[in-house]
Amino acid sequence: MSAEVPEAASAEEQKHKVLVGFVQPFILSTLEEMEDKVTSPEKAEEAKLKARYPHLGQKPGGSDFLRKRLQKGQKYFDSGDYNMAKAKMKNKQLPTAAPDKTEVTGDHIPTPQDLPQRKPSLVASKLAG
Amino acid sequence: MFLKFSPRAMFYGAGGGNDIQWCFSQVKGAVDDDVAEADIISTVEFNHSGELLATGDKGGRVVIFQQEQENKIQSHSRGEYNVYSTFQSHEPEFDYLKSLEIEEKINKIRWLPQKNAAQFLLSTNDKTIKLWKISERDKRPEGYNLKEEDGRFRDPTTVTTLRVPVFRPMDLMVEASPRRIFANAHTYHINSISINSDYETYLSADDLRINLWHLEITDRSFNIVDIKPANMEELTEVITAAEFHPNSCNTFVYSSSKGTIRLCDMRASALCDRHSKLFEEPEDPSNRSFFSEIISSISDVKFSHSGRYMMTRDYLSVKIWDLNMENRPVETYQVHEYLRSKLCSLYENDCIFDKFECCWNGSDSVVMTGSYNNFFRMFDRNTKRDITLEASRENNKPRTVLKPRKVCASGKRKKDEISVDSLDFNKKILHTAWHPKENIIAVATTNNLYIFQDKVN
């Protein structure tokens, strides 16, 4: 490996320094501006989403989203709520909570129709038919 | 172990996905559009010889198909797959203590290599893994002295002579019986099972932990990976898939929701929380968006048969990694890049969270994965060509060569092309499987199973 020989600052080098120090950042910032106008499709989609859901979580892949995934299958059942809802149902329809992406727990009170029928499949698979 | 190579497969199958002309062979399942939830296919897997093809569904049922023995006279096509056995593997449960519904949906099926006349497979739902024995019975004993043929007992005092019972042939009966039940080892939802090359142990992975089991022992399991943080508020990633190396019994990999793959060596320590290798492709921070992490989440990881490579599937692409190189994949194939400009709607309709699987062909030269609109894609690693095909009942005649499909991303749509906006996002192909030795593939749409094979002349 050859030893590095320090060169005296040539005119070429000085021109280079000007380029790096001044011209290049100027060019880069112009390019950035141009890029913003021609945004990547992904960023355009992100802007669309943020426009529709301004309160969407700060950490998109963060704990809220993952915790919701881990809690899949959780059905909170309160017999008191259920019976009160059954009584109220005679008068008016209960509003159902719209699935909200930032909600971690469900607040939909199960009504008799909503309780899932958990029966094993008695019918044979149609693939075997 | 005896490997039976069909000479035809070696002649035709050595080529890539595009030298092959794929033909429709069979379709299984109901024709009607009204799909019962229980009929949604959730897993598809060939056994080690390719003679058997298993499917699992959301209703907890397993259906096994068997390939007919080839008809030497009519060599138009390889044997058809017909129903061999079907059984209810898992049933819905409710965990009252945690107020948790446990779905009976079969998440994965993995076959054990055949050791004797019976076949064994592991099937799992979110919480419990079961070892099933599938055995044939084609003889039955007849001529008992103390029992009539219908089972009624004979009065011993009426017996005057003795005879030796003999086995007589009967109609083939295939019986499935649960031999082991591996339960209560997973707090979170099981996403993967993988049998070790030692054929004695296997791993099961849930969102946060991976356990090692011995196939003979159900009351004990060793935890080998635990990524649960002490404080759940700090949770940033979950385990999405895990697999044992096909040859090294001490090596396994697991993928994460952040797009990383960790390779672990069980010889290093009892708890493999510290990886031996970390595979991650560096991301350009300027390209980062809200969707970046979600679409980088790996939905499937599969080792090549050779064990030299592994393949990962994220939302938009398939990546091939060389186990010797951690800093980037050696090959990347775009499955449906045109969806990048649809991410907002795909997030709103939850499609962005769809978990597509991927598979290798027997010689590791072609990889396959599914997409939307009942399209599936194949990438030939050698020729670098790719093809898009459709699983549809419209191409129903056997030996009809499938026509390649093309999606038009934007602008002028050519004839026979389909525009992105016309794609049916409810028709997703999440599960595909490739016969281990021949060019036969099984493709699952929502509730139908398609079998395609290469054209045989």
Coordinates of all heavy atoms in Angstrom, one line a residue, chain B residues 270-344:
Chain B
A270 N -29.4 -22.0 25.8 CA -30.8 -22.6 26.0 C -31.8 -21.7 25.5 O -32.8 -22.0 24.8 CB -31.0 -23.0 27.4
L271 N -31.7 -20.4 25.8 CA -32.6 -19.4 25.3 C -32.0 -18.6 24.2 O -31.0 -17.9 24.4 CB -33.0 -18.5 26.5 CG -34.2 -17.5 26.2 CD1 -35.4 -18.2 25.9 CD2 -34.3 -16.6 27.4
C272 N -32.5 -18.7 23.0 CA -31.9 -18.1 21.9 C -32.4 -16.7 21.6 O -32.8 -16.4 20.5 CB -32.1 -19.0 20.6 SG -31.5 -20.6 20.8
D273 N -32.4 -15.9 22.6 CA -32.8 -14.5 22.5 C -31.8 -13.7 21.7 O -32.1 -12.7 21.1 CB -33.1 -13.8 23.8 CG -34.5 -14.2 24.3 OD1 -35.2 -14.9 23.6 OD2 -34.8 -13.7 25.4
R274 N -30.5 -14.2 21.8 CA -29.5 -13.4 21.0 C -29.3 -14.2 19.7 O -28.9 -15.4 19.7 CB -28.2 -13.4 21.8 CG -28.0 -12.1 22.6 CD -26.6 -11.9 22.9 NE -26.1 -13.0 23.6 CZ -25.6 -13.0 24.9 NH1 -25.7 -11.9 25.6 NH2 -25.1 -14.1 25.5
H275 N -29.5 -13.5 18.6 CA -29.4 -14.2 17.3 C -28.0 -14.4 16.9 O -27.1 -13.8 17.4 CB -30.1 -13.3 16.2 CG -29.6 -11.9 16.2 ND1 -30.2 -10.9 16.8 CD2 -28.4 -11.5 15.6 CE1 -29.5 -9.8 16.6 NE2 -28.4 -10.1 15.9
S276 N -27.8 -15.4 16.1 CA -26.5 -15.6 15.5 C -26.3 -14.8 14.3 O -25.2 -14.3 14.0 CB -26.3 -17.1 15.1 OG -26.4 -17.9 16.2
K277 N -27.4 -14.6 13.5 CA -27.3 -13.7 12.4 C -28.6 -12.9 12.3 O -29.7 -13.4 12.7 CB -27.2 -14.5 11.1 CG -25.9 -15.2 10.9 CD -25.7 -15.7 9.5 CE -24.4 -16.5 9.4 NZ -23.9 -16.7 8.1
L278 N -28.5 -11.7 11.8 CA -29.6 -10.8 11.7 C -29.7 -10.4 10.2 O -28.8 -9.7 9.8 CB -29.5 -9.6 12.6 CG -30.6 -8.5 12.4 CD1 -32.0 -9.1 12.8 CD2 -30.3 -7.3 13.2
F279 N -30.7 -10.7 9.5 CA -30.9 -10.4 8.1 C -31.8 -9.2 8.0 O -33.0 -9.3 8.5 CB -31.5 -11.6 7.3 CG -30.6 -12.8 7.3 CD1 -30.6 -13.7 8.4 CD2 -29.7 -13.0 6.3 CE1 -29.8 -14.8 8.4 CE2 -28.8 -14.1 6.3 CZ -28.9 -15.0 7.4
E280 N -31.3 -8.1 7.5 CA -32.1 -6.9 7.4 C -31.6 -6.1 6.2 O -30.5 -5.9 6.1 CB -32.1 -6.1 8.6 CG -33.0 -4.9 8.7 CD -33.0 -4.3 10.1 OE1 -32.1 -4.5 10.8 OE2 -33.9 -3.5 10.3
E281 N -32.6 -5.7 5.4 CA -32.2 -4.8 4.2 C -32.2 -3.4 4.7 O -33.2 -3.0 5.3 CB -33.1 -5.0 3.1 CG -32.7 -4.3 1.8 CD -33.4 -4.8 0.6 OE1 -34.5 -5.3 0.7 OE2 -32.9 -4.6 -0.5
P282 N -31.2 -2.6 4.5 CA -31.2 -1.2 5.0 C -32.2 -0.4 4.2 O -32.5 -0.7 3.0 CB -29.8 -0.7 4.7 CG -29.2 -1.7 3.7 CD -29.9 -3.0 3.9
E283 N -32.9 0.4 5.0 CA -34.0 1.2 4.4 C -33.5 2.6 4.1 O -32.8 3.2 5.0 CB -35.2 1.2 5.3 CG -36.4 1.7 4.7 CD -37.5 2.0 5.8 OE1 -37.0 2.1 7.0 OE2 -38.6 2.2 5.5
D284 N -33.9 3.2 3.1 CA -33.6 4.6 2.8 C -34.5 5.5 3.6 O -35.7 5.5 3.4 CB -33.8 4.9 1.3 CG -33.4 6.3 0.9 OD1 -33.1 7.1 1.8 OD2 -33.5 6.6 -0.3
P285 N -34.0 6.2 4.6 CA -34.9 6.9 5.5 C -35.7 8.0 4.8 O -36.8 8.3 5.3 CB -33.9 7.6 6.5 CG -32.6 7.4 6.0 CD -32.6 6.3 5.0
S286 N -35.3 8.5 3.7 CA -36.1 9.5 3.0 C -37.3 8.9 2.3 O -38.3 9.6 2.0 CB -35.2 10.2 1.9 OG -34.8 9.2 0.9
N287 N -37.3 7.5 2.2 CA -38.5 6.9 1.6 C -39.5 6.4 2.6 O -40.5 5.9 2.2 CB -38.0 5.7 0.8 CG -37.5 6.0 -0.6 OD1 -37.8 7.1 -1.1 ND2 -36.7 5.1 -1.2
R288 N -39.2 6.7 3.8 CA -40.0 6.2 4.9 C -41.4 6.9 4.9 O -41.5 8.1 4.7 CB -39.3 6.4 6.2 CG -40.0 5.6 7.3 CD -39.2 5.3 8.5 NE -40.0 4.6 9.5 CZ -40.1 3.3 9.5 NH1 -39.5 2.6 8.5 NH2 -40.9 2.7 10.4
S289 N -42.4 6.0 5.1 CA -43.8 6.6 5.2 C -44.5 5.9 6.3 O -44.0 5.0 6.9 CB -44.5 6.4 3.9 OG -45.0 5.1 3.7
F290 N -45.7 6.3 6.5 CA -46.6 5.6 7.5 C -46.7 4.1 7.2 O -46.8 3.3 8.1 CB -48.0 6.2 7.5 CG -49.0 5.6 8.3 CD1 -49.1 5.9 9.7 CD2 -49.9 4.6 7.8 CE1 -50.0 5.2 10.5 CE2 -50.8 4.0 8.6 CZ -50.9 4.3 10.0
F291 N -46.7 3.8 5.9 CA -46.9 2.4 5.5 C -45.6 1.5 5.6 O -45.7 0.3 5.5 CB -47.5 2.3 4.1 CG -48.7 3.1 4.0 CD1 -48.7 4.3 3.2 CD2 -49.9 2.7 4.6 CE1 -49.9 5.0 3.0 CE2 -51.1 3.4 4.4 CZ -51.0 4.6 3.7
S292 N -44.5 2.2 5.7 CA -43.2 1.4 5.5 C -43.1 0.2 6.4 O -42.8 -0.9 5.9 CB -42.0 2.3 5.8 OG -42.0 3.4 4.9
E293 N -43.4 0.4 7.7 CA -43.2 -0.8 8.5 C -44.2 -1.8 8.3 O -43.9 -3.0 8.3 CB -43.3 -0.3 10.0 CG -42.7 -1.4 10.9 CD -42.7 -0.9 12.4 OE1 -42.0 0.1 12.6 OE2 -43.4 -1.5 13.2
I294 N -45.5 -1.4 8.0 CA -46.5 -2.4 7.8 C -46.3 -3.2 6.6 O -46.4 -4.5 6.6 CB -47.9 -1.7 7.6 CG1 -48.2 -0.8 8.9 CG2 -49.0 -2.7 7.4 CD1 -49.4 0.0 8.7
I295 N -45.8 -2.6 5.5 CA -45.6 -3.4 4.3 C -44.3 -4.2 4.3 O -44.0 -5.1 3.5 CB -45.7 -2.6 3.0 CG1 -44.6 -1.5 2.9 CG2 -47.1 -2.0 2.8 CD1 -44.5 -0.8 1.6
S296 N -43.4 -3.8 5.3 CA -42.2 -4.6 5.4 C -42.3 -5.8 6.3 O -41.5 -6.7 6.3 CB -41.1 -3.7 6.0 OG -41.3 -3.5 7.4
S297 N -43.5 -5.9 7.0 CA -43.7 -7.1 7.8 C -43.7 -8.3 7.0 O -44.3 -8.4 6.0 CB -45.1 -6.9 8.5 OG -45.4 -8.1 9.3
I298 N -42.9 -9.3 7.5 CA -42.7 -10.5 6.7 C -43.8 -11.5 7.1 O -44.1 -11.8 8.3 CB -41.3 -11.1 7.0 CG1 -40.2 -10.2 6.5 CG2 -41.2 -12.6 6.5 CD1 -38.8 -10.6 6.9
S299 N -44.5 -12.0 6.1 CA -45.7 -12.9 6.3 C -45.3 -14.3 6.2 O -46.0 -15.2 6.7 CB -46.8 -12.6 5.4 OG -46.3 -12.5 4.0
D300 N -44.2 -14.6 5.6 CA -43.8 -16.0 5.5 C -42.3 -16.1 5.3 O -41.7 -15.2 4.6 CB -44.5 -16.7 4.3 CG -44.4 -18.2 4.3 OD1 -44.1 -18.8 5.4 OD2 -44.7 -18.8 3.2
V301 N -41.6 -17.2 5.8 CA -40.2 -17.4 5.6 C -40.1 -18.9 5.3 O -40.7 -19.8 6.0 CB -39.3 -17.0 6.8 CG1 -39.6 -17.8 8.0 CG2 -37.9 -17.1 6.4
K302 N -39.3 -19.2 4.2 CA -39.2 -20.6 3.8 C -37.7 -20.9 3.4 O -37.2 -20.1 2.5 CB -40.1 -21.0 2.6 CG -41.6 -21.0 3.0 CD -42.1 -22.4 3.1 CE -43.5 -22.5 3.7 NZ -44.5 -21.7 3.0
F303 N -37.1 -21.9 3.9 CA -35.8 -22.3 3.5 C -35.9 -22.9 2.1 O -36.9 -23.6 1.8 CB -35.1 -23.3 4.5 CG -34.5 -22.6 5.7 CD1 -35.1 -22.7 6.9 CD2 -33.3 -22.0 5.5 CE1 -34.5 -22.1 8.0 CE2 -32.7 -21.4 6.6 CZ -33.3 -21.5 7.9
S304 N -34.8 -22.8 1.3 CA -34.8 -23.6 0.1 C -34.5 -25.0 0.4 O -34.1 -25.3 1.6 CB -33.6 -23.0 -0.8 OG -32.4 -23.2 -0.2
H305 N -34.8 -25.9 -0.5 CA -34.5 -27.3 -0.2 C -33.1 -27.6 0.1 O -32.7 -28.4 0.9 CB -35.0 -28.2 -1.4 CG -36.5 -28.2 -1.5 ND1 -37.1 -27.3 -2.4 CD2 -37.5 -28.9 -1.0 CE1 -38.4 -27.4 -2.3 NE2 -38.7 -28.4 -1.5
S306 N -32.2 -26.8 -0.6 CA -30.8 -27.0 -0.4 C -30.3 -26.5 1.0 O -29.3 -27.0 1.5 CB -30.0 -26.2 -1.5 OG -30.3 -24.8 -1.3
G307 N -31.1 -25.6 1.6 CA -30.7 -25.0 2.9 C -29.7 -23.9 2.7 O -29.3 -23.3 3.7
R308 N -29.3 -23.5 1.5 CA -28.4 -22.5 1.3 C -29.1 -21.1 1.3 O -28.5 -20.1 1.7 CB -27.7 -22.7 -0.1 CG -27.0 -21.5 -0.6 CD -25.5 -21.4 -0.2 NE -24.9 -20.2 -0.6 CZ -24.2 -19.9 -1.7 NH1 -24.0 -20.9 -2.5 NH2 -23.7 -18.8 -1.9
Y309 N -30.3 -21.1 0.9 CA -31.1 -19.8 0.8 C -32.3 -19.9 1.6 O -32.8 -20.9 2.0 CB -31.5 -19.6 -0.7 CG -30.3 -19.4 -1.6 CD1 -29.9 -20.5 -2.4 CD2 -29.7 -18.2 -1.8 CE1 -28.9 -20.4 -3.3 CE2 -28.6 -18.1 -2.7 CZ -28.2 -19.2 -3.4 OH -27.2 -19.1 -4.3
M310 N -32.9 -18.6 1.9 CA -34.2 -18.6 2.5 C -35.0 -17.5 1.7 O -34.4 -16.6 1.2 CB -34.2 -18.4 4.0 CG -33.7 -17.0 4.4 SD -33.8 -16.8 6.2 CE -32.9 -15.3 6.3
M311 N -36.3 -17.7 1.7 CA -37.1 -16.7 1.0 C -38.1 -16.1 2.0 O -38.6 -16.8 2.9 CB -37.9 -17.5 -0.1 CG -39.1 -16.8 -0.6 SD -39.8 -17.5 -2.1 CE -40.2 -19.1 -1.6
T312 N -38.3 -14.8 1.8 CA -39.3 -14.1 2.7 C -40.3 -13.4 1.8 O -40.0 -13.0 0.7 CB -38.6 -13.0 3.6 OG1 -37.9 -12.1 2.8 CG2 -37.6 -13.7 4.6
R313 N -41.5 -13.3 2.3 CA -42.6 -12.6 1.6 C -43.0 -11.4 2.5 O -43.4 -11.6 3.7 CB -43.7 -13.6 1.4 CG -45.0 -13.0 0.8 CD -44.8 -12.6 -0.6 NE -46.0 -12.6 -1.4 CZ -46.8 -11.6 -1.7 NH1 -46.3 -10.4 -1.2 NH2 -47.9 -11.7 -2.4
D314 N -42.9 -10.2 1.9 CA -43.6 -9.1 2.6 C -44.7 -8.7 1.7 O -45.0 -9.3 0.7 CB -42.5 -8.0 2.8 CG -41.8 -7.6 1.6 OD1 -42.4 -7.0 0.7 OD2 -40.6 -8.0 1.5
Y315 N -45.4 -7.5 2.0 CA -46.6 -7.3 1.3 C -46.5 -7.1 -0.2 O -47.3 -7.6 -0.9 CB -47.3 -6.0 1.9 CG -48.7 -5.8 1.4 CD1 -49.7 -6.8 1.7 CD2 -49.0 -4.7 0.7 CE1 -51.0 -6.6 1.2 CE2 -50.3 -4.5 0.2 CZ -51.3 -5.5 0.5 OH -52.6 -5.3 0.0
L316 N -45.4 -6.5 -0.6 CA -45.3 -6.2 -2.0 C -44.2 -7.1 -2.8 O -44.2 -7.1 -4.0 CB -44.9 -4.7 -2.3 CG -46.0 -3.7 -1.8 CD1 -45.4 -2.3 -2.1 CD2 -47.3 -3.9 -2.5
S317 N -43.4 -7.8 -2.0 CA -42.3 -8.5 -2.7 C -41.9 -9.8 -2.1 O -42.3 -10.1 -1.0 CB -41.1 -7.5 -2.8 OG -40.5 -7.4 -1.5
V318 N -41.1 -10.5 -2.9 CA -40.5 -11.8 -2.4 C -39.0 -11.6 -2.4 O -38.5 -11.0 -3.4 CB -40.9 -12.9 -3.4 CG1 -39.9 -14.1 -3.2 CG2 -42.3 -13.4 -3.1
K319 N -38.3 -11.9 -1.4 CA -36.9 -11.7 -1.3 C -36.2 -13.0 -1.1 O -36.6 -13.8 -0.2 CB -36.5 -10.7 -0.2 CG -37.0 -9.3 -0.5 CD -36.7 -8.3 0.5 CE -37.3 -7.0 0.1 NZ -37.2 -6.0 1.2
I320 N -35.1 -13.2 -1.8 CA -34.2 -14.4 -1.6 C -33.0 -14.0 -0.8 O -32.3 -13.1 -1.3 CB -33.9 -15.1 -2.9 CG1 -35.1 -15.3 -3.8 CG2 -33.1 -16.4 -2.6 CD1 -36.0 -16.4 -3.5
W321 N -32.7 -14.6 0.3 CA -31.5 -14.3 1.1 C -30.5 -15.5 1.0 O -30.9 -16.6 1.1 CB -31.9 -14.1 2.5 CG -32.9 -13.0 2.7 CD1 -34.3 -13.1 2.5 CD2 -32.7 -11.7 3.2 NE1 -34.9 -12.0 2.9 CE2 -34.0 -11.1 3.3 CE3 -31.6 -11.0 3.6 CZ2 -34.1 -9.7 3.7 CZ3 -31.7 -9.7 4.0 CH2 -33.0 -9.1 4.1
D322 N -29.2 -15.1 0.9 CA -28.2 -16.1 1.0 C -27.8 -16.1 2.5 O -27.5 -15.1 3.1 CB -27.0 -15.7 0.2 CG -25.9 -16.7 0.2 OD1 -25.6 -17.4 1.2 OD2 -25.2 -16.8 -0.9
L323 N -27.8 -17.3 3.1 CA -27.6 -17.4 4.5 C -26.2 -16.8 4.9 O -26.0 -16.5 6.1 CB -27.7 -18.8 5.0 CG -29.1 -19.4 5.0 CD1 -29.2 -20.7 5.8 CD2 -30.1 -18.4 5.6
N324 N -25.3 -16.7 3.9 CA -24.0 -16.2 4.2 C -24.0 -14.6 4.1 O -22.9 -14.1 4.4 CB -23.0 -16.8 3.2 CG -22.9 -18.3 3.4 OD1 -22.8 -18.8 4.5 ND2 -22.9 -19.0 2.2
M325 N -25.1 -14.0 3.7 CA -25.0 -12.6 3.6 C -26.2 -11.9 4.3 O -27.4 -12.1 3.9 CB -25.0 -12.1 2.2 CG -24.8 -10.6 2.0 SD -24.2 -10.2 0.4 CE -25.7 -10.4 -0.6
E326 N -25.9 -11.2 5.4 CA -27.0 -10.6 6.2 C -27.5 -9.2 5.8 O -28.5 -8.8 6.2 CB -26.5 -10.6 7.7 CG -26.2 -11.9 8.3 CD -25.4 -11.8 9.6 OE1 -25.9 -11.2 10.5 OE2 -24.2 -12.3 9.6
N327 N -26.6 -8.5 5.1 CA -27.0 -7.1 4.9 C -28.0 -6.8 3.8 O -28.5 -5.7 3.8 CB -25.7 -6.2 4.8 CG -24.9 -6.6 3.6 OD1 -25.3 -7.5 2.8 ND2 -23.8 -6.0 3.4
R328 N -28.2 -7.7 2.9 CA -29.3 -7.5 2.0 C -29.6 -8.8 1.2 O -28.8 -9.7 1.2 CB -28.8 -6.4 0.9 CG -27.6 -6.8 0.1 CD -27.3 -5.7 -0.9 NE -26.0 -6.0 -1.5 CZ -25.7 -6.8 -2.5 NH1 -26.7 -7.5 -3.0 NH2 -24.5 -7.0 -2.9
P329 N -30.8 -8.9 0.7 CA -31.2 -10.1 0.0 C -30.4 -10.2 -1.3 O -29.9 -9.2 -1.9 CB -32.7 -9.9 -0.3 CG -32.9 -8.4 -0.3 CD -31.9 -7.9 0.7
V330 N -30.2 -11.4 -1.9 CA -29.5 -11.5 -3.1 C -30.4 -11.4 -4.3 O -30.0 -11.0 -5.4 CB -28.8 -12.9 -3.3 CG1 -27.6 -12.9 -2.3 CG2 -29.7 -14.1 -2.9
E331 N -31.7 -11.6 -4.1 CA -32.7 -11.4 -5.2 C -34.0 -10.8 -4.6 O -34.4 -11.2 -3.5 CB -33.1 -12.7 -5.9 CG -31.9 -13.4 -6.6 CD -32.1 -14.9 -6.7 OE1 -33.2 -15.4 -6.9 OE2 -31.1 -15.6 -6.5
T332 N -34.6 -9.9 -5.3 CA -35.9 -9.3 -4.9 C -36.8 -9.3 -6.1 O -36.4 -9.0 -7.2 CB -35.7 -7.8 -4.5 OG1 -34.8 -7.8 -3.4 CG2 -37.0 -7.3 -4.0
Y333 N -38.0 -9.9 -5.9 CA -39.0 -9.9 -7.0 C -40.2 -9.2 -6.6 O -40.8 -9.4 -5.5 CB -39.4 -11.4 -7.3 CG -38.1 -12.2 -7.7 CD1 -37.6 -13.1 -6.8 CD2 -37.6 -12.1 -8.9 CE1 -36.4 -13.8 -7.1 CE2 -36.5 -12.8 -9.3 CZ -35.9 -13.7 -8.4 OH -34.8 -14.4 -8.8
Q334 N -40.7 -8.3 -7.4 CA -41.9 -7.5 -7.1 C -43.1 -8.3 -7.5 O -43.3 -8.7 -8.6 CB -41.9 -6.2 -7.9 CG -40.7 -5.3 -7.7 CD -40.6 -4.9 -6.2 OE1 -41.6 -4.8 -5.5 NE2 -39.4 -4.6 -5.7
V335 N -44.0 -8.5 -6.5 CA -45.2 -9.3 -6.8 C -46.3 -8.5 -7.4 O -46.8 -8.8 -8.4 CB -45.7 -9.9 -5.5 CG1 -46.9 -10.8 -5.7 CG2 -44.6 -10.7 -4.8
H336 N -46.6 -7.3 -6.8 CA -47.6 -6.4 -7.3 C -47.3 -5.0 -6.9 O -48.0 -4.4 -6.1 CB -49.0 -6.8 -6.9 CG -49.1 -7.4 -5.4 ND1 -49.9 -8.5 -5.1 CD2 -48.4 -7.1 -4.3 CE1 -49.7 -8.7 -3.8 NE2 -48.9 -7.9 -3.3
E337 N -46.2 -4.5 -7.5 CA -45.7 -3.1 -7.2 C -46.8 -2.1 -7.4 O -46.8 -1.0 -6.8 CB -44.5 -2.9 -8.0 CG -43.8 -1.5 -7.8 CD -43.2 -1.3 -6.4 OE1 -43.1 -2.3 -5.7 OE2 -43.0 -0.1 -6.1
Y338 N -47.7 -2.4 -8.4 CA -48.8 -1.4 -8.7 C -49.7 -1.1 -7.5 O -50.4 -0.1 -7.5 CB -49.7 -1.9 -9.9 CG -50.1 -3.3 -9.7 CD1 -51.1 -3.7 -8.9 CD2 -49.4 -4.3 -10.5 CE1 -51.5 -5.0 -8.8 CE2 -49.8 -5.7 -10.4 CZ -50.9 -6.0 -9.5 OH -51.3 -7.3 -9.4
L339 N -49.6 -1.9 -6.4 CA -50.4 -1.6 -5.3 C -49.8 -0.5 -4.4 O -50.5 0.0 -3.5 CB -50.5 -2.9 -4.4 CG -51.3 -4.0 -5.1 CD1 -51.5 -5.2 -4.1 CD2 -52.7 -3.6 -5.5
R340 N -48.6 -0.1 -4.7 CA -48.0 0.9 -3.9 C -48.8 2.2 -3.9 O -48.8 3.0 -2.9 CB -46.6 1.2 -4.3 CG -45.7 1.8 -3.2 CD -44.3 2.0 -3.6 NE -43.5 0.7 -3.7 CZ -42.8 0.2 -2.7 NH1 -42.8 0.9 -1.5 NH2 -42.1 -0.9 -2.8
S341 N -49.4 2.5 -5.0 CA -50.2 3.7 -5.1 C -51.7 3.5 -4.6 O -52.5 4.4 -4.8 CB -50.2 4.3 -6.5 OG -50.6 3.2 -7.4
K342 N -51.9 2.4 -4.0 CA -53.3 2.1 -3.5 C -53.2 1.8 -2.0 O -54.2 1.3 -1.4 CB -53.9 0.8 -4.2 CG -54.0 0.9 -5.7 CD -55.1 1.8 -6.1 CE -55.1 2.1 -7.5 NZ -55.9 3.3 -7.8
L343 N -52.1 2.1 -1.4 CA -51.9 1.7 0.0 C -52.9 2.3 1.0 O -53.3 1.7 2.0 CB -50.5 2.0 0.5 CG -49.4 1.2 -0.2 CD1 -48.0 1.7 0.3 CD2 -49.6 -0.3 0.1
C344 N -53.4 3.5 0.7 CA -54.4 4.1 1.5 C -55.6 3.3 1.6 O -56.1 3.0 2.7 CB -54.7 5.6 1.1 SG -55.9 6.4 2.1

